[in-house]
Amino acid sequence: MKVYGVVGWKNAGKTGLMERLVAEITGRGYSVSTVKHAHHSFDVDHAGKDSHRHRVAGATEVLLASRNRFALMHELRDEDEPTLEMLLAKIAPVDLILIEGYKRDAHPKVEAHRQEPGNPLIAPDDPTIRAVASDVDLDLDRPVFDLDDTRAIADFILRDVGLDASGP
């Protein structure tokens, strides 16, 4: 499977860009899955629900399923955080996996950048960042796109991973 990342500091526009890229690329006929790295403890379950009660009781994995979707929750307990490679192996085959976060991993990435928070660019020190999507003009040694030009960013990503930008 092809993988491409979207990285950037907090409030840089990563999630909005991811959302627009998924809509744009699936709209062209490609199948897309996403991986989102969370830096803090998070929970997709709710206290009191059966699946939550199973986890609290000690289950390592709880698979919650309906006719519309399923979710597999895996409690790490004292295990190390799984690597991105391990997580990607769990995803069903698709044309493209978009990854939000995991900025230190070696897959190709586009950096989302907004001037307002005042954070430095990651790209100058990271060769895995192939392009930058920004709300200001930047002079860099790689392509710079307008942060809101989803079509051009999607074209770049699809070409970079070897997929036809016009669709399958």
Side-chain angles (χ1 to χ4, degrees), residues 16-45:
L17 179 56
M18 284 280 292
E19 182 180 14
R20 294 189 313 273
L21 286 170
V22 169
E24 177 72 25
I25 295 169
T26 58
R28 297 182 191 193
Y30 288 109
S31 58
V32 176
S33 290
T34 65
V35 174
K36 164 72 172 109
H37 188 257
H39 292 284
H40 308 290
S41 178
F42 69 94
D43 205 336
V44 295
D45 213 355

Side-chain angles (χ1 to χ4, degrees), residues 109-120:
K109 305 167 190 78
V110 61
E111 178 179 356
H113 174 77
R114 283 198 177 122
Q115 184 175 20
E116 178 59 35
N119 293 313

Side-chain angles (χ1 to χ4, degrees), residues 53-72:
R53 292 171 61 188
H54 297 181
R55 281 185 22 222
V56 171
T60 299
E61 290 190 331
V62 176
L63 194 140
L64 181 61
S66 74
R67 67 183 189 95
N68 295 320
R69 71 189 55 87
F70 73 87
L72 177 63

Side-chain angles (χ1 to χ4, degrees), residues 6-17 36-40 100-104 111-122 133 135 147:
V6 174
V7 297
W9 300 112
K10 184 176 179 180
N11 297 320
K14 299 180 302 293
T15 302
L17 179 56
K36 164 72 172 109
H37 188 257
H39 292 284
H40 308 290
E100 183 177 344
Y102 290 95
K103 66 176 154 263
R104 291 176 183 82
E111 178 179 356
H113 174 77
R114 283 198 177 122
Q115 184 175 20
E116 178 59 35
N119 293 313
L121 280 169
I122 301 167
D135 64 353
L147 184 58

Side-chain angles (χ1 to χ4, degrees), residues 138-154:
L138 300 169
D139 183 22
L140 293 174
D141 63 349
R142 62 205 83 188
V144 177
F145 298 96
D146 183 292
L147 184 58
D148 294 322
D149 193 351
T150 308
R151 176 178 294 269
I153 299 165

Side-chain angles (χ1 to χ4, degrees), residues 56-99:
V56 171
T60 299
E61 290 190 331
V62 176
L63 194 140
L64 181 61
S66 74
R67 67 183 189 95
N68 295 320
R69 71 189 55 87
F70 73 87
L72 177 63
M73 292 169 280
H74 181 100
E75 285 295 315
L76 294 176
R77 309 270 181 226
D78 293 324
E79 300 172 48
D80 290 337
E81 180 178 351
T83 64
L84 179 57
E85 183 178 340
M86 293 165 65
L87 296 172
L88 292 175
K90 296 180 181 295
I91 295 179
V94 291
D95 296 316
L96 178 66
I97 299 175
L98 290 174
I99 302 165

